[in-house]
Amino acid sequence: MKITLLAAAAAAAFWVAPAAADSTQARCDIYPLKSDKLSKMIHCTFSQRQGFITITREDGVTHDLEPVGDAPGNFKDQNGRTVYRQSGLGDQGQIFRFLDESVFVYWSTAALEPADPNNPTAPFTTADYDATTLLRCGKVGDKELGNCPAGILRMEDRQASIVVQNPKGEQFTINFMTGYVNATNREVEAKLNGDTWTVTVNGSEVYEVPLAAIEGG
């Protein structure tokens, strides 16, 4: 059964912070202090209850965080050290600043899944979508674009919602509707050049979407 449009909308917002007393499998990207070079990308579990947070990492490290004061985002860990939670990942996750490292928690674990040689558009399959494809994608200004997997949910009147996974492993939905193009929790600028939409997301990422992907054959 294909995902319904309503379910697609839920999947589009898809990775939102878990509710209180909730626990979810996540992806943890670890960065050394004051470094933008990723040291490891691992599975982890994110748990939250009444403001208390536990991050359990597959490398054996556990962070038990207790809220401090009335200002949101201020915590102390099990050793009494200061920890700050920051925004910056939007609906994709949360950032935690420790004294010796930063932990980026992503709700999607897709980037950790092994590549499927039999499905170049993984994690998207036609079991869940009307079609799947690889979209040309990259950073604004790149001389050469790469490929990003996408799942397509088509609607009447040549409309579609396309769920894209970017190179960071983040998933979001671009909606191609009659008269406008938008995206979940993102600013987009879309231009139709011939038979291809060029969609710029948040001024930094670009995606090329052929009309054939939206309308089908």
Side-chain angles (χ1 to χ4, degrees):
M1 179 182 295
K2 301 291 190 295
I3 298 176
T4 64
L5 181 58
L6 181 61
F14 185 23
W15 301 113
V16 296
D22 223 355
S23 179
T24 187
Q25 297 300 308
R27 177 186 115 208
C28 282
D29 289 6
I30 315 300
Y31 292 85
L33 180 65
K34 297 181 179 180
S35 173
D36 59 359
K37 185 176 181 181
L38 180 67
S39 65
K40 65 177 73 173
M41 179 191 296
I42 55 178
H43 288 95
C44 59
T45 301
F46 180 94
S47 302
Q48 180 172 296
R49 183 180 181 86
Q50 297 179 342
F52 291 79
I53 291 173
T54 298
I55 303 170
T56 305
R57 295 163 30 178
E58 71 172 348
D59 61 358
V61 176
T62 297
H63 305 290
D64 289 315
L65 308 182
E66 177 183 344
V68 175
D70 296 327
N74 293 327
F75 295 85
K76 64 179 180 180
D77 66 10
Q78 64 269 31
N79 298 313
R81 299 180 301 176
T82 299
V83 181
Y84 297 103
R85 179 177 61 191
Q86 297 180 341
S87 60
L89 300 182
D91 59 358
Q92 302 296 316
Q94 299 178 0
I95 301 171
F96 294 86
R97 304 291 187 184
F98 295 84
L99 294 180
D100 55 353
E101 64 184 8
S102 295
V103 178
F104 287 54
V105 179
Y106 288 92
W107 311 133
S108 173
T109 61
L112 292 167
E113 301 304 321
D116 183 352
N118 298 315
N119 180 19
T121 62
F124 306 107
T125 72
T126 53
D128 298 319
Y129 295 87
D130 295 312
T132 63
T133 190
L134 290 173
L135 300 178
R136 283 169 48 81
C137 64
K139 294 182 180 179
V140 171
D142 282 353
K143 293 182 179 180
E144 296 185 7
L145 298 180
N147 291 311
C148 291
I152 305 168
L153 293 157
R154 296 187 176 117
M155 293 170 272
E156 296 179 351
D157 301 323
R158 298 181 176 180
Q159 302 177 108
S161 290
I162 299 182
V163 184
V164 181
Q165 180 171 296
N166 70 14
K168 295 180 181 179
E170 301 172 349
Q171 293 185 6
F172 63 96
T173 299
I174 305 174
N175 300 301
F176 294 88
M177 313 302 289
T178 302
Y180 67 91
V181 177
N182 66 14
T184 52
N185 299 317
R186 284 164 170 77
E187 296 292 331
V188 302
E189 179 182 348
K191 296 181 179 179
L192 181 60
N193 301 307
D195 61 357
T196 300
W197 282 99
T198 299
V199 181
T200 303
V201 177
N202 290 340
S204 61
E205 301 175 358
V206 63
Y207 299 85
E208 294 184 353
V209 185
L211 284 177
I214 300 168
E215 300 174 359

